Amino acid sequence: MSRKLQRTEVCADCSAPDPGWSSINRGVLICDECCSVHRSLGRHISIVKHLRHSGWPPTLLQMVQTLASNGANSIWEHSLLDPAQVQSGRRKPNPQDKVHPTKSEFIRAKYQMLAFVHKLPCRDDDGVTTKDLSKQLHSSVRTGSLETCLRLLSLGAQANFFHPEKGNTPLHMAAKAGQILQAELLVVYGADPGAPDINGRTPMDSARQAGHVDLAERLVECQYELTDRLAFYLCGRRPDHKNGHYIIPQMADRARPKCPTQSLDLSELAKAAKKKLQALNNRLFEELAMDVYDEVDRRENDAVWLTTQNHSTLVTERSAVPFLPVNPEYSATRNQGRQKLARFNAREFATLIIDILSDAKRRQQGKGLSFPTADPLDPGIDDDMHDYDTVASDEDTDSELTTQNNNNTQRSNRAKSMDSSDLSDGPITLQEYLEVKKALASSEAKVQQLLKVNNNLSEELRRLQKEVRKGGTGGPASYGGHHVSGSTEMGRYMVSKPEKHGSGTDSDYDNTQSYDPSQSMGRSSEEEGRGESEEGGEAGEPDPTLPCTEDVILKTEQVTKNIQELLRAAQEFKHDSFVPCSEKIHSAVTEMASLFPKRPALDAVHCSLRLLASSASRLQVECRKAVPSEPGAPAVDYQLLTQQVIQCAYDIAKAAKQLVTITTREKKQ
């Protein structure tokens, strides 16, 4: 379904006339140039759809139109409406302004940082404020005031809030009141159409009992949005949900122009991959299905994008999105897997979709598995749960790594850094993808366990420093991962790992690279621990060439402090601070390394110093890429650059930790 735009409509971000796109979860209309920025942010920030060329459920389109017409944009630009902001120099971009950096920086501040949203006067630690907002949302959805509910959601109200007195959720209330547009908004923000109330009734049941048949049918469609969208992508048909909830496309559907699939991939590798997919637990399977859903959305929007752009313009700031943008709410492992989906060719991707649809049907019929609506804003997912299987044993990891290393050796001629060239230089098979997923899942689980042991390197260093000053005899706790900034979000970033570094030094947690002893440290974290213990045991006496433990700790604290400054700059998108921060880190690393002999007796010290120096040098190289390039040069991919910078910082902190641990242990012998 499409609609005819009114002449008075303008882009919510730059006021350009005749906007062709919409941001569904923000309730605004946007132009092509601003849409290119929205798409680069990812669906967790902005869910975009073309107003004329995309398929629309009628009530969803009506919901967006109602919000746009009733001032939803003022929610996201609240503080800009204050006259004092004009005096501060903060202004909204004009249509003539450049996309980069003017429009892009404004859009990121507006939607990603929520810089202009009305701030609550206070937010209680016990969550009372959020609870009050959610109760207001629970009451407001009975009315037709969409903008009020969107404002509450923007302030932190929970779409899946279960009212303790009423015994149901906001979606139950909207369904009972027949407010179909409110239901659409709640589902966009992650409300579960299948959530039971205190009596076991779902919102669909509430709508039917109240006589709102159309609303009940729409909620059923929302419940199966994920599988419906996958099926429609391949064969252009959706189930009616009266005679069944699933359509499994067959080979006869291959002629659909939108997905030029000549035949399914029926190779032995594809069959083996299908078995691996069936063996995934429900959580991993749901994550894979949601990631494929997002990739379908990206490919469909790409097709619309290519159709609607002015190809006579040779140089344009509008850019496509070559792979799924990073979602910081997901683990680094999952983000890497999501980006690799762009490398599937049409046949492989169709095979994966059909396997997912078939297994979804099997799981629901056999185990009662129900899918979420594939909305990344869903707050119902427990952030504390691991993104990947946490029960994999070390033996499983080792065997899986052996298989993966063999596969990587065969593919080494096309292994590049994770950028657009890596995603376009050739397809990746489903078998390879699932093997990488499983191997990295085990590694991710080990990293998460290590993160629980010590949550912050600075705290551990302070403890060690106090212990040394007191002359204590207890050894330091062993840890292999940490949060440099102490925040959950940066903790997720700290385990990110691109496929290939510019340097030969590999991280212990990188299971996607080929093993090369001549270019890497060549030992896992467990082997490092054993090696250090053996060396220490053989020595029997402290190594007199090692520096004072307190000096090492002081230098490490300086390194950590500078890393924290760099990570804050990354969080705040201050890319111009990357170079000075990297220089401070390099200087602190040089001072720390100067404490140690040039040829240390312990091999573990030599390896740690080598990792420390190479990572600091690599960090400088990466940070220099943030410097504005000459006119005509390719634009900098700041998302990828930030990932690389964070990984370098992690390697530096890891090497510093190793040196502190070794020095403390040796001096206490």
Side-chain angles (χ1 to χ4, degrees):
M1 177 179 178
S2 62
R3 63 184 287 267
K4 189 176 287 186
L5 295 177
Q6 302 174 8
R7 293 182 180 276
T8 56
E9 291 174 335
V10 297
C11 173
D13 297 331
C14 73
S15 302
D18 193 26
W21 295 80
S22 70
S23 174
I24 297 174
N25 57 318
R26 305 299 181 177
V28 296
L29 308 182
I30 51 179
C31 66
D32 283 7
E33 288 191 344
C34 292
C35 176
S36 68
V37 181
H38 278 251
R39 291 194 63 205
S40 70
L41 298 178
R43 282 173 50 85
H44 58 289
I45 301 296
S46 182
I47 305 172
V48 301
K49 213 173 186 61
H50 198 275
L51 291 165
R52 301 182 185 91
H53 297 278
S54 298
W56 282 89
T59 51
L60 182 61
L61 176 60
Q62 187 181 351
M63 184 269 288
V64 173
Q65 181 180 4
T66 301
L67 283 172
S69 302
N70 287 275
N73 195 41
S74 63
I75 295 174
W76 314 111
E77 296 183 356
H78 175 83
S79 64
L80 290 181
L81 302 177
D82 185 352
Q85 287 292 324
V86 178
Q87 299 176 358
S88 69
R90 188 72 182 186
R91 71 172 183 87
K92 186 173 179 175
N94 295 318
Q96 296 77 21
D97 286 328
K98 290 187 176 182
V99 177
H100 302 289
T102 308
K103 291 183 180 180
S104 62
E105 288 183 354
F106 175 80
I107 291 170
R108 286 181 182 276
K110 179 177 176 180
Y111 299 109
Q112 189 171 39
M113 310 304 294
L114 300 179
F116 315 124
V117 172
H118 172 65
K119 300 297 190 299
L120 292 174
C122 65
R123 182 175 293 273
D124 297 339
D125 294 337
D126 58 3
V128 174
T129 302
T130 300
K131 184 177 180 180
D132 290 343
L133 287 170
S134 299
K135 284 186 174 181
Q136 291 181 45
L137 176 67
H138 190 277
S139 177
S140 297
V141 293
R142 296 177 297 177
T143 73
S145 181
L146 277 177
E147 60 275 15
T148 298
C149 292
L150 181 60
R151 190 179 302 277
L152 290 168
L153 289 165
S154 74
L155 293 174
Q158 300 299 303
N160 273 318
F161 172 73
F162 190 88
H163 200 294
E165 289 83 24
K166 305 293 184 180
N168 57 17
T169 69
L171 191 54
H172 283 90
M173 298 299 294
K176 186 177 180 180
Q179 294 290 346
I180 192 168
L181 301 188
Q182 295 281 21
E184 292 282 1
L185 178 61
L186 290 170
V187 169
V188 166
Y189 273 81
D192 182 4
D197 63 9
I198 195 171
N199 297 313
R201 291 189 296 265
T202 67
M204 295 171 282
D205 296 330
S206 298
R208 289 193 186 96
Q209 290 176 2
H212 306 300
V213 179
D214 290 344
L215 175 51
E217 291 179 351
R218 175 59 185 148
L219 288 174
V220 173
E221 293 176 357
C222 292
Q223 177 78 5
Y224 291 91
E225 163 66 13
L226 189 151
T227 50
D228 285 2
R229 180 89 179 264
L230 299 188
F232 188 82
Y233 176 75
L234 288 185
C235 65
R237 293 184 288 118
R238 291 186 175 90
D240 58 12
H241 297 292
K242 295 177 181 177
N243 301 312
H245 296 301
Y246 296 93
I247 289 179
I248 312 298
Q250 303 297 321
M251 293 180 66
D253 297 316
R254 66 177 180 268
R256 183 171 180 248
K258 199 171 186 180
C259 184
T261 309
Q262 297 180 353
S263 63
L264 296 182
D265 188 349
L266 301 176
S267 64
E268 292 301 318
L269 283 176
K271 292 177 182 178
K274 183 174 182 179
K275 291 181 180 179
K276 284 180 175 287
L277 185 144
Q278 292 174 343
L280 294 175
N281 62 37
N282 283 354
R283 179 177 174 78
L284 282 176
F285 180 75
E286 289 184 6
E287 287 180 354
L288 175 60
M290 288 190 286
D291 294 344
V292 170
Y293 176 98
D294 287 351
E295 175 64 14
V296 164
D297 182 79
R298 185 194 69 81
R299 294 189 183 204
E300 288 188 333
N301 276 336
D302 265 357
V304 173
W305 185 262
L306 293 173
T307 301
T308 58
Q309 293 305 293
N310 180 8
H311 299 287
S312 64
T313 304
L314 298 179
V315 180
T316 176
E317 290 185 301
R318 308 173 189 177
S319 58
V321 179
F323 50 82
L324 291 173
V326 172
N327 183 345
E329 293 300 316
Y330 296 157
S331 68
T333 304
R334 185 174 177 186
N335 276 314
Q336 290 177 4
R338 283 164 56 85
Q339 292 184 339
K340 289 181 186 297
L341 288 172
R343 286 173 52 181
F344 281 66
N345 60 31
R347 183 180 67 155
E348 291 165 340
F349 195 54
T351 302
L352 175 57
I353 289 175
I354 291 176
D355 286 346
I356 287 175
L357 289 171
S358 300
D359 213 49
K361 182 177 181 180
R362 176 186 69 83
R363 289 172 187 247
Q364 187 184 56
Q365 292 176 346
K367 300 181 181 179
L369 174 68
S370 65
F371 278 92
T373 58
D375 194 293
L377 297 172
D378 185 359
I381 297 178
D382 187 356
D383 288 337
D384 292 332
M385 294 181 66
H386 293 165
D387 286 323
Y388 290 91
D389 191 359
T390 61
V391 299
S393 66
D394 293 344
E395 289 77 15
D396 293 337
T397 304
D398 292 339
S399 62
E400 194 64 29
L401 287 178
T402 301
T403 303
Q404 182 58 30
N405 285 333
N406 291 337
N407 289 336
N408 280 336
T409 301
Q410 297 171 7
R411 294 186 288 125
S412 60
N413 62 327
R414 58 187 176 95
K416 300 179 181 178
S417 61
M418 182 175 290
D419 57 10
S420 58
S421 62
D422 176 53
L423 295 166
S424 62
D425 65 353
I428 180 172
T429 67
L430 180 57
Q431 171 77 359
E432 292 172 334
Y433 174 77
L434 288 176
E435 285 180 350
V436 170
K437 182 180 178 68
K438 183 177 179 182
L440 290 178
S442 298
S443 175
E444 183 75 12
K446 293 165 75 174
V447 171
Q448 293 292 342
Q449 291 168 356
L450 291 169
L451 287 172
K452 287 183 178 180
V453 175
N454 277 280
N455 197 34
N456 192 298
L457 176 61
S458 296
E459 292 180 3
E460 179 66 12
L461 290 173
R462 282 193 291 271
R463 188 189 70 78
L464 287 171
Q465 190 174 31
K466 290 179 181 179
E467 193 172 299
V468 170
R469 287 173 177 171
K470 292 179 181 179
T473 58
S478 171
Y479 54 102
H482 55 277
H483 294 169
V484 172
S485 67
S487 70
T488 302
E489 179 178 344
M490 294 313 295
R492 291 191 182 98
Y493 273 130
M494 290 301 289
V495 298
S496 66
K497 182 69 179 180
E499 273 195 6
K500 203 76 173 176
H501 284 316
S503 161
T505 305
D506 296 338
S507 167
D508 293 342
Y509 306 125
D510 180 13
N511 296 328
T512 65
Q513 299 187 31
S514 301
Y515 179 76
D516 185 351
S518 66
Q519 294 183 351
S520 69
M521 292 175 65
R523 295 193 294 180
S524 66
S525 54
E526 290 86 352
E527 290 172 332
E528 283 179 355
R530 289 196 298 269
E532 291 169 6
S533 299
E534 290 168 1
E535 289 164 1
E538 291 172 0
E541 296 179 358
D543 186 344
T545 64
L546 291 179
C548 172
T549 305
E550 188 171 359
D551 290 342
V552 176
I553 292 175
L554 289 174
K555 295 299 182 183
T556 304
E557 285 184 335
Q558 187 61 42
V559 171
T560 303
K561 179 181 177 181
N562 292 329
I563 289 177
Q564 289 174 333
E565 183 180 350
L566 174 64
L567 295 183
R568 280 194 296 269
Q571 284 181 306
E572 297 170 2
F573 303 100
K574 296 180 179 178
H575 302 115
D576 55 345
S577 300
F578 278 12
V579 170
C581 285
S582 68
E583 291 175 351
K584 290 181 182 178
I585 293 172
H586 190 273
S587 177
V589 163
T590 302
E591 291 180 8
M592 182 175 180
S594 66
L595 297 175
F596 294 84
K598 293 185 178 180
R599 295 184 178 180
L602 295 178
D603 182 59
V605 174
H606 173 75
C607 290
S608 298
L609 287 171
R610 176 182 167 190
L611 176 60
L612 188 71
S614 63
S615 300
S617 297
R618 193 171 72 244
L619 177 65
Q620 283 191 307
V621 172
E622 294 294 337
C623 287
R624 290 191 189 109
K625 296 178 182 178
V627 178
S629 55
E630 298 178 356
V636 177
D637 184 345
Y638 285 108
Q639 285 186 334
L640 175 61
L641 176 62
T642 300
Q643 274 194 332
Q644 300 277 24
V645 166
I646 290 173
Q647 180 58 49
C648 293
Y650 168 72
D651 288 339
I652 292 170
K654 176 175 172 243
K657 178 271 300 183
Q658 291 171 346
L659 291 170
V660 171
T661 302
I662 297 169
T663 305
T664 305
R665 184 197 64 226
E666 290 294 321
K667 291 297 183 181
K668 288 181 180 179
Q669 286 183 354

